[in-house]
Amino acid sequence: MIGTPAMIEYHGAMHIVARGNDNSIIWHWWGTNGDTWNREKLPGAFIGIPDLAVYGNQFQVSGRGIDGMLYTVWYENGRWSTSYHGIPVGD
């Protein structure tokens, strides 16, 4: 992992997001059966520290993409989606 991970509670479970060594977005969460950590690579890549939020029923991950622009990856209704905001993000 690279940089500082971010953590949030979502639907009663702990969720941690960090950057992989290849700048991928790695999502870790405590299993629904409460006895194991799970891991999944999300769509996209960040070069900055990810930020997490819950918006309505969405679990959102925002950060600076490899092109220096702001992106949000969010989970809702069992699937991940990505938004490009067209906003440059500095250091």
Side-chain angles (χ1 to χ4, degrees), residues 56-68:
N57 197 39
Q58 297 176 353
F59 171 58
Q60 298 193 351
V61 183
S62 296
R64 182 171 34 143
I66 59 174
D67 60 358

Side-chain angles (χ1 to χ4, degrees), residues 27-54:
W27 168 45
H28 301 265
W29 73 98
W30 190 248
T32 55
N33 58 4
D35 65 356
T36 185
W37 280 100
N38 297 283
R39 173 186 163 135
E40 180 178 335
K41 186 183 278 191
L42 302 183
F46 287 166
I47 57 173
I49 297 169
D51 194 21
L52 307 179
V54 174

Side-chain angles (χ1 to χ4, degrees), residues 1-6 17-21 23 47-50:
M1 295 294 147
I2 299 172
T4 304
V17 174
R19 285 175 42 222
N21 292 333
N23 288 320
I47 57 173
I49 297 169

